[in-house]
Amino acid sequence: GISNGKDKHSNGVVWEKGSGTTSKKKGSDGGNSMLAGLCKFIALYIFIVGSVGILTRLVCTTACFSPSVEATEENALCVVTGKVLKGLLSPYYTLPNTQPTQSTSQLPSAETTQQHHKKHHAKAGPLKRTIDRAASFFRHKHNKPPRRSATQALDKQHIDGLWGPHAVSPTAAYSSQQQHDMATLSSRVIHSLQSQQSEQSTQDYNTRLKNVYWGSGAYNPNRSHVHPSFPWWFPNPSHGSHAKPSKYLQSVLPTLPIKADGSSLLAAYLKIMEWPMNLRSKFPYKICGGKQGCNAEFALSHTLEFREKYKPWCVSPRLMKENSIGWIYHRGYSHSISNNNNNEGEKQDVGGHAMIWYRPGLYRVQDPEFYTRNLIHALESAVAESLQRTHGTVGKYNLVLDCQHFSLSHMPRLQDVKRGMVMMQDHFPDRLGVLLLANLSGPAQFFLKLVTPFITESVRSKIHALPTNDDAKRVEALRVLIDDDMIPYWLGGKDMYKFDYDEWYGDGVVKCTDDEALEYLTTMPYHA
């Protein structure tokens, strides 16, 4: 109809609107105008489909963020959105299927997946094929295969391989070179402390080390599993018999780094520094992250200053008030590391990593400073308990974070989170076994997304999610870490313990005033 420049329906007349009048124009421009209009329609249609696809993808990406599991409720939102769009556009075009694609095993035996898609794709016209390709580019997250995680394969062998190296493994043997590095660093740390003593007229370095014990500051002879006490600089024979390697420890001397003073502590720092050949490192990262880095002994001096001024073992009235319901505490330990060489000749169970139970959904932050101090105090006590129970061989903790009832109103301030993480990274290196996330809700996922940039890659690799809404599977996963009788009832276990305020903050705890707890804000402004 347009071969002669005329439209058979309009006799070659193309009506145009002019300024107040209507004119008509003859000729071959009519066919070109129709073709241009068709192209514009196709472009507009692709633009609309693409825009809707982008919007859907943004909604799903924001709603469905998860470190290791899919959030089914948020994915349901994506599916509903896709169905609504499909219903609106189905008269004109069929959206890509939101259901999982047909597996190769369901296809005819002689037909591969590629042949299957190619055959069905060929049935469509050129317009539909173009729109299909454009829309498939913007296909949202729900159509992507889920990432493999611990919650998708709960067989014991898989979880043992995923969590075991961090959560329950005994201390590894150290090479002769690493033993040499620890001995060298030990002498350099002592020399550095002696230099500070002569330059600043401070206390004798040994006196300083006696006042920064894990869990208690000064040595507490009445220590217990609730109120532990263990040398920070271990071993150190000059502190007394409690700071010397025990008979149990001596029985496993060939595999443990305890031949030099303080080597049990130095091993953790050198590991986080990745055993630098020249004993120079960029750890702690905030201070030494430049090109030159710092001498390895600086990290130990930095932490000693922190322990003297922050006093992480200190329990003040505002701290006790902030944790009066027990939203964080340590209790129990991971599977035992056994030894058969004790005096009785019988198997000796000393346990593994201490267990910390953190339930932020139970409490809204009222006092940010002492909320952070409660977190640090829990880590301090857990490390001390693990060292005390294992005679200085472990000194680590596993942390279970239960997000039940957690909402945006429970979120601490981001600046406080960042400050607390700097303290943990600088002064508790290589102390975390694994961090397990239970009842991971949408607000909890959003919060994790905010704080992830502050977490080092080595710590991220230790974060795992427990199964949601299935007590049996959750308990099965936790059995990799602890015995049934240590799994709390609120996670489906048998331990009926409820936080006891009087026991936790009773006799044996090291108490101080609120003013003493806040002194570090002026004496160590780096952490203020």
Side-chain angles (χ1 to χ4, degrees):
I2 60 174
S3 59
N4 295 322
K6 296 182 179 181
D7 189 324
K8 63 182 181 180
H9 298 294
S10 60
N11 295 322
V13 179
V14 180
W15 295 95
E16 296 181 341
K17 280 192 174 182
S19 55
T21 62
T22 302
S23 61
K24 63 181 179 179
K25 181 169 148 186
K26 293 193 176 196
S28 61
D29 288 340
N32 294 334
S33 298
M34 287 185 63
L35 186 60
L38 181 61
C39 292
K40 290 179 180 179
F41 173 79
I42 294 173
L44 179 62
Y45 191 80
I46 294 175
F47 173 77
I48 293 174
V49 172
S51 300
V52 171
I54 291 176
L55 180 60
T56 305
R57 182 177 177 84
L58 290 174
V59 170
C60 294
T61 301
T62 303
C64 300
F65 168 76
S66 175
S68 59
V69 293
E70 282 194 320
T72 55
E73 295 180 359
E74 288 78 8
N75 277 341
L77 174 63
C78 299
V79 176
V80 171
T81 305
K83 288 182 178 179
V84 171
L85 294 175
K86 181 176 180 179
L88 293 174
L89 299 178
S90 58
Y92 312 100
Y93 149 70
T94 301
L95 284 173
N97 186 17
T98 58
Q99 300 300 321
T101 56
Q102 189 178 17
S103 65
T104 307
S105 61
Q106 295 172 316
L107 300 176
S109 57
E111 182 179 73
T112 65
T113 305
Q114 186 177 5
Q115 292 170 341
H116 174 81
H117 287 299
K118 185 175 181 181
K119 181 179 72 174
H120 287 274
H121 190 66
K123 294 179 181 179
L127 176 60
K128 188 175 187 305
R129 284 201 302 270
T130 302
I131 297 175
D132 279 346
R133 289 167 182 162
S136 63
F137 178 78
F138 299 102
R139 187 171 297 168
H140 58 70
K141 179 180 175 180
H142 181 72
N143 289 327
K144 295 182 180 179
R147 291 178 293 177
R148 184 177 178 86
S149 68
T151 61
Q152 293 169 311
L154 290 171
D155 58 285
K156 188 176 185 302
Q157 184 178 2
H158 174 70
I159 297 181
D160 280 347
L162 188 65
W163 297 353
H166 298 303
V168 296
S169 294
T171 305
Y174 290 88
S175 67
S176 57
Q177 179 60 48
Q178 290 171 336
Q179 292 276 3
H180 178 266
D181 289 343
M182 285 185 280
T184 303
L185 183 56
S186 175
S187 61
R188 285 172 56 167
V189 170
I190 293 174
H191 177 73
S192 174
L193 296 178
Q194 288 173 336
S195 300
Q196 294 176 21
Q197 176 184 336
S198 59
E199 293 173 2
Q200 304 173 10
S201 298
T202 59
Q203 291 178 323
D204 171 75
Y205 80 92
N206 239 324
T207 303
R208 295 178 65 188
L209 295 175
K210 284 183 178 180
N211 291 326
V212 293
Y213 271 43
W214 289 108
S216 62
Y219 174 61
N220 179 12
N222 299 318
R223 56 188 182 173
S224 65
H225 71 282
V226 178
H227 309 300
S229 179
F230 196 84
W232 178 72
W233 184 261
F234 179 82
N236 190 355
S238 64
H239 286 188
S241 59
H242 64 275
K244 295 179 181 179
S246 64
K247 291 182 179 180
Y248 166 78
L249 202 56
Q250 291 172 358
S251 68
V252 289
L253 260 174
T255 61
L256 293 175
I258 60 170
K259 295 185 178 181
D261 286 2
S263 52
S264 178
L265 175 70
L266 299 175
Y269 281 83
L270 286 171
K271 184 177 180 181
I272 209 70
M273 296 176 187
E274 299 180 350
W275 299 94
M277 296 298 294
N278 57 356
L279 291 183
R280 286 189 66 85
S281 171
K282 294 186 177 182
F283 178 85
Y285 308 113
K286 186 177 178 181
I287 300 178
C288 303
K291 293 182 180 180
Q292 300 298 323
C294 301
N295 290 327
E297 60 266 27
F298 171 79
L300 279 299
S301 299
H302 177 55
T303 297
L304 178 58
E305 180 188 8
F306 166 79
R307 297 184 67 78
E308 290 174 325
K309 295 179 177 178
Y310 187 84
K311 300 179 178 66
W313 55 82
C314 169
V315 173
S316 70
R318 285 169 64 182
L319 180 144
M320 292 187 288
K321 181 180 179 181
E322 193 71 6
N323 191 36
S324 59
I325 63 172
W327 49 265
I328 190 168
Y329 60 90
H330 72 82
R331 176 176 170 81
Y333 47 83
S334 61
H335 289 314
S336 300
I337 300 170
S338 299
N339 173 49
N340 295 317
N341 297 325
N342 59 345
N343 292 333
E344 293 76 17
E346 299 175 353
K347 186 175 180 180
Q348 179 182 4
D349 283 339
V350 295
H353 299 16
M355 296 297 301
I356 297 179
W357 309 96
Y358 179 25
R359 307 174 71 186
L362 295 182
Y363 184 77
R364 289 182 173 86
V365 182
Q366 302 295 323
D367 193 334
E369 175 62 41
F370 285 89
Y371 187 92
T372 302
R373 183 171 277 274
N374 264 298
L375 290 169
I376 299 298
H377 180 261
L379 305 189
E380 171 82 8
S381 300
V383 172
E385 193 277 332
S386 178
L387 285 167
Q388 175 180 288
R389 176 171 34 82
T390 63
H391 312 287
T393 60
V394 180
K396 292 189 175 186
Y397 61 86
N398 296 319
L399 193 153
V400 177
L401 195 161
D402 179 21
C403 303
Q404 186 75 30
H405 308 304
F406 183 84
S407 65
L408 297 181
S409 63
H410 293 93
M411 287 174 51
R413 298 181 305 184
L414 207 57
Q415 65 199 51
D416 296 319
V417 173
K418 185 177 180 180
R419 193 161 59 96
M421 285 186 173
V422 170
M423 293 181 188
M424 296 175 196
Q425 289 175 2
D426 286 7
H427 311 301
F428 296 85
D430 194 38
R431 296 298 175 182
L432 173 66
V434 290
L435 169 57
L436 302 182
L437 307 172
N439 298 310
L440 195 59
S441 60
Q445 294 174 38
F446 174 73
F447 179 68
L448 285 173
K449 190 173 183 180
L450 290 178
V451 303
T452 296
F454 308 137
I455 303 175
T456 62
E457 188 60 37
S458 61
V459 173
R460 292 182 202 178
S461 66
K462 300 179 181 181
I463 301 176
H464 307 283
L466 294 170
T468 304
N469 301 325
D470 192 328
D471 286 350
K473 289 184 177 180
R474 184 164 51 221
V475 170
E476 182 182 352
L478 284 171
R479 285 195 186 115
V480 177
L481 295 181
I482 51 180
D483 296 329
D484 285 357
D485 57 356
M486 292 187 182
I487 301 175
Y489 68 92
W490 38 269
L491 287 177
K494 298 178 180 180
D495 185 8
M496 302 305 294
Y497 173 80
K498 294 183 180 180
F499 181 78
D500 188 332
Y501 179 90
D502 294 331
E503 176 192 24
W504 197 253
Y505 298 123
D507 295 338
V509 70
V510 181
K511 295 185 178 180
C512 61
T513 66
D514 293 330
D515 290 338
E516 289 175 327
L518 296 174
E519 284 179 356
Y520 84 98
L521 295 173
T522 54
T523 58
M524 197 175 188
Y526 168 80
H527 283 305

